[in-house]
Amino acid sequence: TEGTSSRGSYPLPPWFNSMRESMRRLTQTLRRRSGAAKLTHAARRSHSTQTSAAMEREFTSKHARAMGLQKLLRDYGSRSTSPLSINQMYDFGQYDAPGRNRATTLLAAAQFVHEELPVRCSHLIQDLMTLPFGLSQNSAIQEVVELFHTTIREIIADPRPKSSEEEEKLRLKIMGMLRRHRNIVTHMRSALAGDLLSSEEKLQLQPFLDRFYATRIGNRTMLAHYVQLGEEPQEDWVGLINDKCRISQVVQNAYGIAVDVCRYHHDINPPALTLLGSTECELRYFESHIEYLLTEILHNSIYSTWKHHSPEDSKQVCPPLPAITVIIADGKDDISISISDQGGGFGRKHLNSIWTHLHFPEEDFTHHSTKAIEKDQIKFAANEDECSPLINGYSRHSPRLARNGLPVCRLYARHFGGDLTIQVMENHGTDVFVTIPKDGEVPEALPESLVGEVELA
């Protein structure tokens, strides 16, 4: 076609129309992009405003939850625990009691756990948050604190159970909690290990560690007993309590486990077991408690006897090892168990150190120290509850011990009013005495928290 000017019409070049069409399309594209940019900017501003509002709401919600949890911890932490005796736990768990059946028994147990567990966890949190030497800020300690926080939140998330369905839901929660808490001792050891603390500072922590482990034993006993009540009942058993716990049988079981462990980890040909005294005596008790501490003690005796009598030259044949003697005495009020070995003992200057929960690098004895077998300590500690999900323990199929040492064994013995003591003869052997009360009326040894009201974030 043609264009116009002051001189009249003139023909347009052939490329002009295509260029004009291209310019028109470019203009339309730029206009669309400009409009989209404006819309995008507006959307971004809107999204940013919404995100900020959401973050503010989330922060406010978290702050409110934290403040609410802090208030709950103060409330629960100010309450006293409710320790139970073995007889109370046994009678409480019987299905065939007048007016009771399986459903009502489990529901009553669940209601007690729902009320009691937050109190016990709050006491532990208070102690952990007031640890000296800056330990409360340690990442491992914080992990333990968060585990207890989570436990409290999970428990109070649902109201007090009032039906069999709600009871079963709580029991499943408790089983999960027992699994999650099985490595707490490992976390505690990692927080307190190494050279971060002096020997004097470690000694100052002993009262706290005694309270912590004693409360933990009580918690796991209560929860495991409740969970076991939901399983198929066995003759003479109520939950984890054996009404006819024969001590001689427990000794033999513990010796068998200790032998398996020593053979598995140290390739030891163990000394024989001589069992004397009142081998027919029975009592009502948490059999797993007795078996746990006897296994630990017998393991120490087997290893130290082998170590003391083994020739220095590994090529020489080890002579026959002197037997470990266990005597059971059935008294009027108590059953007493003595475990005597000829493992060389140790110097009396080390006698107090065997009751410390933390290993001291300068220790040069091995018989009954908390870290008796250095190379296997980490392996044992890491599997503290893995081999027995309910109670600290061991496994015949994969032999290993918790290796928590005599301090925890003594706490197990004292939990229902018993005790554990030691007499030592250097360069000869060691005698360990375990006392177990027979009446079953002694309540749990649950220490009250020694701290006052504290800020718990």
Side-chain angles (χ1 to χ4, degrees), residues 54 56 63 66 108 125 148 150 155 175 181 184 201-202 223 239 275 293 304 307 329 359-360 375 379 385 407 442:
E56 184 176 355
H63 182 68
I125 291 172
F148 289 125
T150 302
I155 290 293
M175 293 174 69
H181 285 231
I184 280 182
E201 290 172 336
K202 289 179 179 180
L223 298 180
L275 188 57
L293 62 91
S304 61
K307 191 75 174 176
H359 173 61
F360 292 86
K375 67 178 181 179
K379 183 186 296 183
D385 292 329
V442 180

Side-chain angles (χ1 to χ4, degrees), residues 205-274:
L205 290 175
Q206 292 309 307
F208 158 76
L209 291 172
D210 277 336
R211 292 197 308 273
F212 180 85
Y213 288 124
T215 304
R216 185 172 185 272
I217 290 170
N219 289 354
R220 294 186 71 81
T221 300
M222 173 184 69
L223 298 180
H225 181 63
Y226 162 55
V227 169
Q228 190 63 32
L229 287 175
E231 301 298 324
E232 189 68 27
Q234 301 179 20
E235 186 179 358
D236 299 326
W237 287 78
V238 170
L240 292 177
I241 301 173
N242 187 353
D243 190 39
K244 296 180 179 180
C245 176
R246 179 163 293 192
I247 299 300
S248 60
Q249 186 62 53
V250 179
V251 171
Q252 291 172 343
N253 291 344
Y255 173 76
I257 296 165
V259 166
D260 287 348
V261 171
C262 287
R263 283 175 172 163
Y264 186 84
H265 291 291
H266 315 298
D267 194 22
I268 291 175
N269 187 20
L273 173 71
T274 301

